[in-house]
Structures are given as C-alpha cells and as structure tokens.
Amino acid sequence: MRVGVLTGGGDCPGLNAVIRGIVRKGVQEYGFDFTGFRDGWRGPLEGDTVPLDIPAVRGILPRGGTILGSSRTNPLKVEGGARRVQENLAAEGVDALIVIGGEDTLGVASTLYQEHGVNVIGVPKTIDNDLSATDYTFGFDTAVNIATEAIDRLHTTAESHMRVLVVEVMGRHAGWIALHSGLAGGANVILIPEQRFDLDQVCAWVESRFKVRYAPIVVVAEGAMPKDGDMVLKDGTLDSFGHVRLSGIGEWLAKQIEKRTGKEARTTVLGHVQRGGTPSAYDRWLATRFGLHAIEAVRDHDYGKMVALRSTDIVRVPIEDATARIKTVDPTLYEEVSVFFG
C-alpha cells in the first residue's frame, strides 16, 4: 500500500513528530510505502513530491516547522483543482492520503472525501487549539509556553519603568492562547475574540494596578475587538481561504490606554515566534500518538476520519465534525479567570 502525507496551513511545532510516527509505524509494522507532498495542498495539486522513508524521518522529532513544507493553497479554488488532485494521487500510486492541518486544510480533505471519493485521514494541527472534536491540538502547548515565557520577561521591564506593556498573541477567532498564557504569566488583563471588551474597563484595570505600585501587563488576542469598534486588520487582502491578515490590535490598544490614562504604554507582538522553534515535550508526545493512530486508521481503511484526543485516549471522529464549527472559549471559563484582572 502506498500512503501520501501532506502538511497544510500555518507551520506548527510537532508536525515533524507526526510525520515520523506515521512513517516509522507504517514501514516497520505494515510494510507501507510513503510519498510526501510538498507545501500543503500545492503538492497533490501540482504533483510535487518528495520520498518519505525511515532515513528521511531520522532526527526530525525535535525540529520545528515541517520537512514537507506548507502553504495555504486551496485546490477547491483552482479550476479543476479536485480533478487534478485525484489525477496526481493516481499517478503516484497513492491509495490513501494523510492530511495534517487545521480547519481550512481539513475542510478541503473533508470535501475531497465526501464529494470526490479521495481516501483521506485527518490529523488535527493548529496552535490556536480551535478545532472541534478534539480536546487539544499539538502546537498549542508550545505556543502557550513561548507566550508565557515572554510575559514573564516583560513583567520585569514593565515594573522597572512603571509602564503598561501590551502583549499581542495569535488567535483569530478563539482566545485559547491568550487565556492560557495570560493566566500562566500573571497578566492583569486578558482580551479574547469571544468577548468584546470595554475600553473604559480595561483602563480602569490598568489604573488599579498602578495604585498598588505594580505595572500592568495586558494580553490581547489578535482577533479581539472593542465593544464599539471593529477588528483591526494588517491589510485588506485575502488568502485562498478568504481570511484577512490580522495584527495591530495591540498597538491600537496601547495608544488608547496611553491617551486615556496618561501612562506610558508599549506593545510587543509575538507573531510567528509562537509558531517557531522546537516543540514542547507534550506536543512531541501528542503529535507522535496522532501519527501512530492515523496510520492505524489507514490500515483499517477507516477513511473520512480524523484522529482526536479525548481525555487521554486517541479516538477517530468524522472530519466534518471537526471542521463544522470553531472551538471557542466558553464564557464561564473566561469569567473564572477574570478574578485576576486589575
């Protein structure tokens, strides 16, 4: 049996661990052959492949990024794209395709399975942890650890100068990174996309922190919005999945706080730092288990499924269940951590 593997969407710590788990078990236990497709869906769309075998995956466990490359290519937006994918899979003799990605990448996989009969297995990947049907996605833990370390470091410089420091983290529609890193890092304000914020309340929290001679840290997800405003965009261009580029809410917020409180405010945008570098031990563990269970699903011909974490178990769920809606922060959970605001 010949199995294709691709990694799509934004890069993420732990992708190489998944690839390694798939190939090691697939070759050693099942005798499968593997083909890697370069740069996400661009690979099967254009027939761009790279050999995948055990020597190819040696030493990649601690490496960030992906040895296969990634992109935000959407073959369903290309004329005849689905047909071209099918033809190139057939030309490579690929019997099944393991797709490692987030909402957009797996959404394409679901459509190709349901409407075009492509044998796919999904593996959930996103630092945002916003995929339904799985408790956690790999990459999230690493991103939270990176953001938390940054917040820890910013506390000391904020207090040395008694200024407000606004930390902008990733999170387009879901505030999981902001919530987890903000709580772990001792932030005084956490702003997430799920809860529009009151700027007057934010400034009140900031000023209350100064009253006790401490400098406030404000953690804001890139998709957070004020009650009387809109999402701040980097520019108006769209990617192939219809997403605009975010970034700028941190700078906007710092200017508003400085204007309203008279306190000096600075911004740190973590951006792609959250995606980079070596994956945490937990992400290596989770990504490896996902890889092992994904190749088992291929062996069982259980296509159209995504491997998912439920408690400590890896289960299989329909891919469409994982992509039907975004997993967002529950209001009660946000309320729970708000005791630390101000």
Side-chain angles (χ1 to χ4, degrees):
M1 189 171 191
R2 193 166 184 78
V3 181
V5 182
L6 69 81
T7 55
D11 64 296
C12 177
L15 284 167
N16 288 322
V18 180
I19 298 168
R20 172 178 174 269
I22 290 169
V23 173
R24 285 286 297 271
K25 185 164 187 173
V27 172
Q28 292 174 193
E29 295 198 9
Y30 307 141
F32 292 167
D33 292 323
F34 289 90
T35 294
F37 288 96
R38 295 183 186 273
D39 304 334
W41 284 112
R42 188 190 69 79
L45 185 65
E46 300 180 3
D48 191 357
T49 65
V50 58
L52 264 188
D53 53 19
I54 288 181
V57 300
R58 287 196 181 115
I60 68 172
L61 178 63
R63 286 174 56 183
T66 164
I67 62 170
L68 295 178
S70 190
S71 73
R72 297 190 183 279
T73 302
N74 184 352
L76 303 181
K77 295 293 185 180
V78 177
E79 181 71 26
R83 175 183 50 78
R84 285 169 56 185
V85 167
Q86 289 177 287
E87 290 174 351
N88 285 324
L89 291 177
E92 293 293 329
V94 171
D95 302 295
L97 181 65
I98 297 179
V99 179
I100 311 166
E103 174 196 6
D104 295 326
T105 303
L106 293 179
V108 172
S110 180
T111 299
L112 290 176
Y113 170 72
Q114 293 183 38
E115 299 181 11
H116 302 279
V118 177
N119 295 332
V120 298
I121 295 294
V123 177
K125 173 265 354 167
T126 168
I127 66 169
D128 293 327
N129 196 41
D130 61 356
L131 270 178
S132 299
T134 184
D135 291 349
Y136 286 98
T137 56
F138 69 87
F140 173 66
D141 184 69
T142 303
V144 168
N145 285 339
I146 291 169
T148 300
E149 182 180 358
I151 296 167
D152 287 345
R153 292 176 180 274
L154 290 170
H155 273 291
T156 57
T157 186
E159 291 171 8
S160 295
H161 295 274
M162 291 304 291
R163 60 167 61 119
V164 184
L165 281 183
V166 178
V167 185
E168 182 184 307
V169 300
M170 285 186 168
R172 177 181 296 272
H173 300 297
W176 293 108
I177 295 176
L179 190 73
H180 281 243
S181 64
L183 180 63
N188 311 109
V189 182
I190 302 172
L191 306 176
I192 62 176
E194 295 88 339
Q195 301 282 331
R196 284 182 174 260
F197 61 86
D198 184 329
L199 190 55
D200 290 333
Q201 179 63 74
V202 171
C203 291
W205 283 327
V206 165
E207 290 179 319
S208 71
R209 187 69 173 171
F210 280 115
K211 289 177 181 178
V212 293
R213 297 294 301 165
Y214 282 98
I217 300 286
V218 178
V219 174
V220 57
E222 62 185 351
M225 293 180 286
K227 286 184 176 179
D228 56 352
D230 298 315
M231 188 177 289
V232 178
L233 308 179
K234 194 174 186 69
D235 57 52
T237 58
L238 304 177
D239 66 18
S240 62
F241 290 97
H243 299 311
V244 293
R245 295 177 63 194
L246 300 185
S247 187
I249 184 63
E251 189 64 33
W252 179 89
L253 187 60
K255 289 178 179 178
Q256 292 296 317
I257 291 173
E258 191 168 278
K259 178 181 177 181
R260 292 174 180 237
T261 67
K263 302 294 185 180
E264 185 181 6
R266 300 287 179 85
T267 307
T268 298
V269 180
L270 296 185
H272 288 81
V273 170
Q274 295 157 92
R275 294 188 181 279
T278 186
S280 67
Y282 178 79
D283 278 341
R284 298 183 204 188
W285 176 86
L286 180 59
T288 299
R289 291 191 70 201
F290 276 159
L292 298 176
H293 283 262
I295 199 62
E296 283 184 3
V298 170
R299 177 203 61 185
D300 296 340
H301 304 285
D302 194 9
Y303 302 123
K305 299 293 180 59
M306 182 191 83
V307 293
L309 180 68
R310 295 283 177 83
S311 185
T312 58
D313 297 325
I314 306 296
V315 300
R316 301 173 193 169
V317 299
I319 295 179
E320 63 265 27
D321 288 355
T323 58
R325 64 178 181 84
I326 293 173
K327 183 178 70 177
T328 55
V329 175
D330 190 288
T332 59
L333 182 57
Y334 186 70
E335 180 66 25
E336 184 179 297
V337 305
S338 66
V339 67
F340 297 105
F341 296 176

